[in-house]
Amino acid sequence: MNQDLETDYIVRINMEEIDPRKASVSIFDHGFLFGDSIYEVVRTVNGKPYAWKEHLKRLRGSCRSINLELPWTDEDLQRDVDTAIASKRWDGETYIRLIITRGAGQIDLMPRTCKNPNLIVIAKELPELRARLHEIGLVLCVTEVKRNSRLAMDPAIKSGNYLNNVLALIEARGKGADDSIMLNENDHLTECSTSNFFLVKDGGVKTPSLDCGILAGIIREKIIGIALSEGIPIEETSLTLDDLRSADEVFITGTVKGVVPVNRIIGQVEWEGEPGAITEQLREAFYVSSGM
Ligand code: PLP
């Protein structure tokens, strides 16, 4: 724990600001013991949480999926996030991580002894969005690690259990890539460790459908909307390694990174490309419409 924690982070636990150096939750919290928690990552634009309603909706959906009832209203959650942002000690935009754990209970997978979920809000300065690497493009690795099956641990739930993604990222980094792209049990493309995936072919955009087992990314949804309004054909579908091999352009999306081109793919497929015209058009339109 270093001293910068105090200036670099704002931490709120159950609606109270806590010194980040002392912030902790119980080792009996089922979020810690079993990964029994959900979360959202939100960013600000001009100091206001971007797409807050969409994040709130997804958060409520994640809670429903894990049978977690919250004692807080939407207004409570919004007020807590707004308060964290208002306490910031940095000039730039803010990254907010909102975590809700099952709470402390007996060491028993069944959460019946967990009476009070914990609400944790961690805020820090948003890392630079349009860094140089983001202009040149990233390297992805199609990993041997597959995405969790929807029938086992649905990737649509934004849960605190990210071991699947951690393992894929470790493999990708070990092979020299920036991030992984995972296949599902049917060998269809899904998503990256913390981003959604798109490819461009013959002027049209394709992205894995929700059925493939992915998180319904908020930026993914925005990009689909922008493509429709710009008259660019867009399809949510099942994509194979052959689709990837023959792609003209590839890009990924996420709240923190925005829209980022890919210039190389390794692992189960070898692909090289340039940040292309359609990626750039969608990227520009997204940055203009979002105010980022
Ligand atoms: N896919 C996964 C697995 C993620 O963790 C994330 C974001 O954290 C995304 C996709 C992108 O989602 P969003 O656009 O809502 O940030």
Side-chain angles (χ1 to χ4, degrees), residues 58 158 162 165 191 193-196 215 217-219 254-255:
R58 190 168 66 188
K158 201 161 168 64
Y162 256 50
N165 316 45
E191 60 184 340
S193 63
T194 54
S195 315
N196 290 113
L215 183 75
I218 284 163
I219 309 305
T255 291

Side-chain angles (χ1 to χ4, degrees), residues 140 180-181 189-192 195-199 205-208 214 220 239-240 243-244 247 249-253 262 265:
L140 296 185
S180 72
I181 155 102
L189 297 166
T190 61
E191 60 184 340
C192 306
S195 315
N196 290 113
F197 170 87
F198 291 78
L199 61 79
V205 180
K206 295 183 184 193
T207 193
I214 59 168
R220 171 186 182 276
L239 295 167
T240 63
D243 292 308
L244 192 48
E249 303 173 27
V250 174
F251 65 93
I252 65 175
T253 64
V262 171
I265 296 177

Side-chain angles (χ1 to χ4, degrees), residues 146-173:
K146 292 205 172 181
R147 191 73 176 108
N148 285 331
S149 162
R150 287 182 85 196
L151 301 173
M153 232 214 41
D154 191 347
I157 306 170
K158 201 161 168 64
S159 85
N161 190 326
Y162 256 50
L163 204 45
N164 179 212
N165 316 45
V166 170
L167 295 178
L169 188 61
I170 290 173
E171 182 189 332
R173 291 278 169 88

Side-chain angles (χ1 to χ4, degrees), residues 113-249:
T113 54
C114 304
K115 301 294 179 213
N116 300 305
N118 281 312
L119 168 63
I120 297 140
V121 172
I122 306 173
K124 62 174 186 165
E125 185 162 21
L126 187 78
E128 176 154 11
L129 187 65
R130 302 185 83 173
R132 210 175 82 80
L133 189 61
H134 288 191
E135 303 292 335
I136 305 167
L138 302 174
V139 180
L140 296 185
C141 173
V142 183
T143 52
E144 300 294 330
V145 172
K146 292 205 172 181
R147 191 73 176 108
N148 285 331
S149 162
R150 287 182 85 196
L151 301 173
M153 232 214 41
D154 191 347
I157 306 170
K158 201 161 168 64
S159 85
N161 190 326
Y162 256 50
L163 204 45
N164 179 212
N165 316 45
V166 170
L167 295 178
L169 188 61
I170 290 173
E171 182 189 332
R173 291 278 169 88
K175 290 178 173 167
D178 298 296
D179 204 343
S180 72
I181 155 102
M182 289 171 274
L183 297 168
N184 65 15
E185 67 270 33
N186 302 317
D187 284 334
H188 292 142
L189 297 166
T190 61
E191 60 184 340
C192 306
S193 63
T194 54
S195 315
N196 290 113
F197 170 87
F198 291 78
L199 61 79
V200 179
K201 176 72 183 163
D202 298 331
V205 180
K206 295 183 184 193
T207 193
S209 63
L210 300 181
D211 299 343
C212 296
I214 59 168
L215 183 75
I218 284 163
I219 309 305
R220 171 186 182 276
E221 204 51 47
K222 299 278 178 199
I223 290 296
I224 292 171
I226 288 170
L228 288 172
S229 66
E230 301 257 320
I232 300 171
I234 173 110
E235 201 184 342
E236 296 176 69
T237 182
S238 297
L239 295 167
T240 63
L241 290 178
D242 280 338
D243 292 308
L244 192 48
R245 276 187 199 98
S246 65
D248 299 327
E249 303 173 27

Side-chain angles (χ1 to χ4, degrees), residues 24-93:
S24 57
V25 292
S26 164
I27 58 158
F28 294 103
D29 192 309
H30 282 205
F32 171 73
L33 286 173
F34 308 125
D36 191 350
S37 63
I38 60 97
Y39 82 105
E40 281 294 316
V41 169
V42 185
R43 61 152 292 167
T44 62
V45 174
N46 299 321
K48 300 260 178 309
Y50 174 72
W52 173 247
K53 283 206 171 70
E54 290 93 323
H55 282 287
L56 201 54
K57 186 167 171 222
R58 190 168 66 188
L59 180 149
R60 293 279 180 199
S62 296
C63 288
R64 261 196 309 281
S65 302
I66 69 163
N67 283 302
L68 176 58
E69 250 181 60
L70 299 189
W72 305 288
T73 64
D74 288 358
E75 292 70 32
D76 292 335
L77 297 174
Q78 179 165 0
R79 196 172 336 102
D80 203 39
V81 164
D82 286 346
T83 310
I85 297 166
S87 320
K88 76 186 173 99
R89 305 180 188 102
W90 46 86
D91 296 331
E93 297 288 354

